Amino acid sequence: MLRQQDVGHRIVVRRIVGIREGRPLFSDALGELVELSETHLTLATAQGRLRVPMAEVHRAKRVPPTRRPTAAAVVELELAADEAWPAAVRGRLGDWRLRAADGWTGRANSALPVGDPDRPLPAALDAVERWYADLGQPPMVNTPLPLAAPVGAELDARGWGGRPPVLVQTVPLAGLPPAAPKPAGAPPVELAADPSDDWLAVAAGRKGGLPDAARHVLTAVDQVRFAHVYAGGTLLAIGRGTVTGQGRWLGLSLVEVLPEARRQGLAGRIIRALADWGAATGASHAFLQVEQRNAPAVALYRSLGFTTHHTYLTRTPPA
C-alpha cells in the first residue's frame, strides 16, 4: 500500500471503473503521486491531474522513474535555492541547514536535510526539534524527494504531516522562447537592485505580511534584481530574480500580477527580463518553485519550457 513517502514518486494505479456482468472493469493510470490522503490519491499524468477515490483503488505501487536527476544534482539545486532565499537565522547540523525567519515562508523556516547530519537520523531530527524550540517556533523540515525519502519515513513514524507538494522546475536559459514583441503602449519591465515600497507592499499582500526577517530573505543575496511594471504610476506586476549556485542558477520568485492587469502577458515579460539579466551575469539555467495545485502558474511555466526537476514536501509536526 502507498505511504506518504511515496509522494513525489512515479506510481501505477489499477482502479475499478465499472462492473460488467458482475465482474469489475479495471483501468491503469501511470504518473507522479502528488497527494495521498485517507480518502483519495492524486496523480500528475501525461494527460493532466487525476484524482482517484481510495474506494476505487484495486492496487497501487511505486514504479521506477523514467528519468531522475542524480542525488548530486538535487543537492546542487537545493543549495542554490537555499542561497537564493537566505534565512535571517541559520544553523548547521553536519551538512544539514537549519533556517528561521520569524515564520515568514516555509522555505526560510525549515530544516533542509541534504547531506550527512553527522549523527543517526532519529537523533538528527531530535536536534532539529530542539533548535526550533530554542527559538520559540515550531519545527519544520523541507524534504526533497526522493532524496530525503528516509527522512520522510522517519517523520511519518513520528506522526508528522505535510503541506501541499511543491514542484522544483528548471529550464536552460537558452531554451526559453524569445521575447514576444512588446505591444504598443505597453509599460516596460524595470529591473532594480532594491525593491520599491510598492513592490514590498505587493509581496506582503501575497505572503501575509513582511516582518524584518522577510526583508533579509528578499535582499541578502549578492546578485538580485527586483522587477517592477508600472502604468500611470500604479504598480501592476512584480518579480524577483537571483543568481546563485556559483553563478549557474537564475532563481525566479514572487512573480505576481495584480488581478486587474492579468491576461496581458506581464508575467511572461517579467520572466524574460529577469532571464536576460541572469544570462548577462553568466547564468545558464533558471529554476523556480511552484505548488503542484497552482494550475495557472504550472501551465504558464510549462508554456515557457520549464520541466519538473524534483519535488519537495514541507513537513510539519503533529498538532
PDB file of all heavy atoms in Angstrom, residues 293-309:
ATOM      1  N   ARG A 293      -0.582  22.295  -6.986  1.00  0.00           N
ATOM      2  CA  ARG A 293      -2.002  22.608  -7.144  1.00  0.00           C
ATOM      3  C   ARG A 293      -2.251  23.968  -7.794  1.00  0.00           C
ATOM      4  O   ARG A 293      -3.399  24.298  -8.109  1.00  0.00           O
ATOM      5  CB  ARG A 293      -2.692  22.567  -5.784  1.00  0.00           C
ATOM      6  CG  ARG A 293      -2.193  23.611  -4.784  1.00  0.00           C
ATOM      7  CD  ARG A 293      -2.864  23.458  -3.442  1.00  0.00           C
ATOM      8  NE  ARG A 293      -2.398  24.458  -2.480  1.00  0.00           N
ATOM      9  CZ  ARG A 293      -2.827  24.533  -1.216  1.00  0.00           C
ATOM     10  NH1 ARG A 293      -3.735  23.671  -0.783  1.00  0.00           N
ATOM     11  NH2 ARG A 293      -2.358  25.459  -0.403  1.00  0.00           N
ATOM     12  N   ASN A 294      -1.202  24.774  -7.994  1.00  0.00           N
ATOM     13  CA  ASN A 294      -1.362  26.094  -8.612  1.00  0.00           C
ATOM     14  C   ASN A 294      -1.389  25.921 -10.136  1.00  0.00           C
ATOM     15  O   ASN A 294      -0.422  26.204 -10.837  1.00  0.00           O
ATOM     16  CB  ASN A 294      -0.221  27.018  -8.180  1.00  0.00           C
ATOM     17  CG  ASN A 294      -0.423  28.453  -8.636  1.00  0.00           C
ATOM     18  OD1 ASN A 294      -1.290  28.738  -9.465  1.00  0.00           O
ATOM     19  ND2 ASN A 294       0.372  29.361  -8.104  1.00  0.00           N
ATOM     20  N   ALA A 295      -2.521  25.448 -10.630  1.00  0.00           N
ATOM     21  CA  ALA A 295      -2.623  25.065 -12.041  1.00  0.00           C
ATOM     22  C   ALA A 295      -2.299  26.210 -13.015  1.00  0.00           C
ATOM     23  O   ALA A 295      -1.599  25.985 -14.012  1.00  0.00           O
ATOM     24  CB  ALA A 295      -4.015  24.498 -12.325  1.00  0.00           C
ATOM     25  N   PRO A 296      -2.781  27.450 -12.798  1.00  0.00           N
ATOM     26  CA  PRO A 296      -2.448  28.512 -13.757  1.00  0.00           C
ATOM     27  C   PRO A 296      -0.950  28.778 -13.849  1.00  0.00           C
ATOM     28  O   PRO A 296      -0.417  28.957 -14.955  1.00  0.00           O
ATOM     29  CB  PRO A 296      -3.211  29.725 -13.212  1.00  0.00           C
ATOM     30  CG  PRO A 296      -4.340  29.147 -12.407  1.00  0.00           C
ATOM     31  CD  PRO A 296      -3.764  27.912 -11.792  1.00  0.00           C
ATOM     32  N   ALA A 297      -0.278  28.809 -12.699  1.00  0.00           N
ATOM     33  CA  ALA A 297       1.163  29.056 -12.724  1.00  0.00           C
ATOM     34  C   ALA A 297       1.905  27.905 -13.382  1.00  0.00           C
ATOM     35  O   ALA A 297       2.820  28.113 -14.187  1.00  0.00           O
ATOM     36  CB  ALA A 297       1.679  29.282 -11.304  1.00  0.00           C
ATOM     37  N   VAL A 298       1.528  26.661 -13.056  1.00  0.00           N
ATOM     38  CA  VAL A 298       2.179  25.498 -13.668  1.00  0.00           C
ATOM     39  C   VAL A 298       2.012  25.528 -15.181  1.00  0.00           C
ATOM     40  O   VAL A 298       2.953  25.249 -15.932  1.00  0.00           O
ATOM     41  CB  VAL A 298       1.613  24.195 -13.066  1.00  0.00           C
ATOM     42  CG1 VAL A 298       2.123  22.980 -13.850  1.00  0.00           C
ATOM     43  CG2 VAL A 298       1.992  24.070 -11.589  1.00  0.00           C
ATOM     44  N   ALA A 299       0.818  25.910 -15.650  1.00  0.00           N
ATOM     45  CA  ALA A 299       0.577  25.984 -17.091  1.00  0.00           C
ATOM     46  C   ALA A 299       1.439  27.066 -17.739  1.00  0.00           C
ATOM     47  O   ALA A 299       1.990  26.868 -18.836  1.00  0.00           O
ATOM     48  CB  ALA A 299      -0.900  26.247 -17.363  1.00  0.00           C
ATOM     49  N   LEU A 300       1.574  28.217 -17.068  1.00  0.00           N
ATOM     50  CA  LEU A 300       2.423  29.281 -17.600  1.00  0.00           C
ATOM     51  C   LEU A 300       3.855  28.805 -17.733  1.00  0.00           C
ATOM     52  O   LEU A 300       4.494  28.976 -18.784  1.00  0.00           O
ATOM     53  CB  LEU A 300       2.361  30.505 -16.686  1.00  0.00           C
ATOM     54  CG  LEU A 300       3.420  31.586 -16.953  1.00  0.00           C
ATOM     55  CD1 LEU A 300       3.205  32.229 -18.317  1.00  0.00           C
ATOM     56  CD2 LEU A 300       3.415  32.642 -15.842  1.00  0.00           C
ATOM     57  N   TYR A 301       4.379  28.192 -16.671  1.00  0.00           N
ATOM     58  CA  TYR A 301       5.778  27.777 -16.705  1.00  0.00           C
ATOM     59  C   TYR A 301       5.996  26.661 -17.721  1.00  0.00           C
ATOM     60  O   TYR A 301       7.039  26.612 -18.370  1.00  0.00           O
ATOM     61  CB  TYR A 301       6.230  27.352 -15.306  1.00  0.00           C
ATOM     62  CG  TYR A 301       6.082  28.465 -14.282  1.00  0.00           C
ATOM     63  CD1 TYR A 301       5.616  28.212 -12.999  1.00  0.00           C
ATOM     64  CD2 TYR A 301       6.396  29.775 -14.613  1.00  0.00           C
ATOM     65  CE1 TYR A 301       5.478  29.226 -12.074  1.00  0.00           C
ATOM     66  CE2 TYR A 301       6.257  30.809 -13.698  1.00  0.00           C
ATOM     67  CZ  TYR A 301       5.790  30.531 -12.427  1.00  0.00           C
ATOM     68  OH  TYR A 301       5.643  31.546 -11.526  1.00  0.00           O
ATOM     69  N   ARG A 302       5.001  25.785 -17.897  1.00  0.00           N
ATOM     70  CA  ARG A 302       5.122  24.741 -18.910  1.00  0.00           C
ATOM     71  C   ARG A 302       5.224  25.371 -20.295  1.00  0.00           C
ATOM     72  O   ARG A 302       6.002  24.917 -21.144  1.00  0.00           O
ATOM     73  CB  ARG A 302       3.933  23.793 -18.840  1.00  0.00           C
ATOM     74  CG  ARG A 302       4.033  22.612 -19.830  1.00  0.00           C
ATOM     75  CD  ARG A 302       2.796  21.756 -19.809  1.00  0.00           C
ATOM     76  NE  ARG A 302       2.552  21.173 -18.509  1.00  0.00           N
ATOM     77  CZ  ARG A 302       1.488  21.415 -17.748  1.00  0.00           C
ATOM     78  NH1 ARG A 302       0.546  22.245 -18.179  1.00  0.00           N
ATOM     79  NH2 ARG A 302       1.348  20.842 -16.578  1.00  0.00           N
ATOM     80  N   SER A 303       4.447  26.428 -20.529  1.00  0.00           N
ATOM     81  CA  SER A 303       4.475  27.080 -21.841  1.00  0.00           C
ATOM     82  C   SER A 303       5.825  27.740 -22.118  1.00  0.00           C
ATOM     83  O   SER A 303       6.172  27.969 -23.282  1.00  0.00           O
ATOM     84  CB  SER A 303       3.363  28.137 -21.931  1.00  0.00           C
ATOM     85  OG  SER A 303       3.665  29.281 -21.134  1.00  0.00           O
ATOM     86  N   LEU A 304       6.585  28.023 -21.056  1.00  0.00           N
ATOM     87  CA  LEU A 304       7.905  28.631 -21.216  1.00  0.00           C
ATOM     88  C   LEU A 304       9.015  27.586 -21.263  1.00  0.00           C
ATOM     89  O   LEU A 304      10.191  27.944 -21.355  1.00  0.00           O
ATOM     90  CB  LEU A 304       8.163  29.611 -20.063  1.00  0.00           C
ATOM     91  CG  LEU A 304       7.239  30.830 -20.015  1.00  0.00           C
ATOM     92  CD1 LEU A 304       7.490  31.646 -18.758  1.00  0.00           C
ATOM     93  CD2 LEU A 304       7.416  31.699 -21.253  1.00  0.00           C
ATOM     94  N   GLY A 305       8.652  26.310 -21.167  1.00  0.00           N
ATOM     95  CA  GLY A 305       9.645  25.249 -21.284  1.00  0.00           C
ATOM     96  C   GLY A 305      10.137  24.668 -19.980  1.00  0.00           C
ATOM     97  O   GLY A 305      11.023  23.797 -19.987  1.00  0.00           O
ATOM     98  N   PHE A 306       9.589  25.118 -18.858  1.00  0.00           N
ATOM     99  CA  PHE A 306      10.019  24.564 -17.571  1.00  0.00           C
ATOM    100  C   PHE A 306       9.530  23.129 -17.420  1.00  0.00           C
ATOM    101  O   PHE A 306       8.398  22.800 -17.787  1.00  0.00           O
ATOM    102  CB  PHE A 306       9.479  25.404 -16.412  1.00  0.00           C
ATOM    103  CG  PHE A 306      10.234  26.679 -16.175  1.00  0.00           C
ATOM    104  CD1 PHE A 306       9.903  27.843 -16.860  1.00  0.00           C
ATOM    105  CD2 PHE A 306      11.268  26.726 -15.259  1.00  0.00           C
ATOM    106  CE1 PHE A 306      10.596  29.019 -16.648  1.00  0.00           C
ATOM    107  CE2 PHE A 306      11.972  27.894 -15.036  1.00  0.00           C
ATOM    108  CZ  PHE A 306      11.639  29.052 -15.730  1.00  0.00           C
ATOM    109  N   THR A 307      10.374  22.274 -16.862  1.00  0.00           N
ATOM    110  CA  THR A 307      10.005  20.912 -16.529  1.00  0.00           C
ATOM    111  C   THR A 307      10.381  20.635 -15.074  1.00  0.00           C
ATOM    112  O   THR A 307      11.252  21.314 -14.503  1.00  0.00           O
ATOM    113  CB  THR A 307      10.704  19.889 -17.437  1.00  0.00           C
ATOM    114  OG1 THR A 307      12.128  20.043 -17.305  1.00  0.00           O
ATOM    115  CG2 THR A 307      10.300  20.081 -18.884  1.00  0.00           C
ATOM    116  N   THR A 308       9.737  19.639 -14.476  1.00  0.00           N
ATOM    117  CA  THR A 308       9.969  19.344 -13.066  1.00  0.00           C
ATOM    118  C   THR A 308      11.285  18.585 -12.887  1.00  0.00           C
ATOM    119  O   THR A 308      11.485  17.518 -13.465  1.00  0.00           O
ATOM    120  CB  THR A 308       8.806  18.528 -12.484  1.00  0.00           C
ATOM    121  OG1 THR A 308       7.611  19.309 -12.565  1.00  0.00           O
ATOM    122  CG2 THR A 308       9.073  18.168 -11.028  1.00  0.00           C
ATOM    123  N   HIS A 309      12.169  19.157 -12.113  1.00  0.00           N
ATOM    124  CA  HIS A 309      13.458  18.546 -11.781  1.00  0.00           C
ATOM    125  C   HIS A 309      13.285  17.550 -10.638  1.00  0.00           C
ATOM    126  O   HIS A 309      13.716  16.409 -10.713  1.00  0.00           O
ATOM    127  CB  HIS A 309      14.450  19.648 -11.394  1.00  0.00           C
ATOM    128  CG  HIS A 309      15.850  19.188 -11.144  1.00  0.00           C
ATOM    129  ND1 HIS A 309      16.300  18.777  -9.907  1.00  0.00           N
ATOM    130  CD2 HIS A 309      16.916  19.078 -11.993  1.00  0.00           C
ATOM    131  CE1 HIS A 309      17.580  18.452  -9.989  1.00  0.00           C
ATOM    132  NE2 HIS A 309      17.971  18.618 -11.240  1.00  0.00           N
TER     133      HIS A 309
END
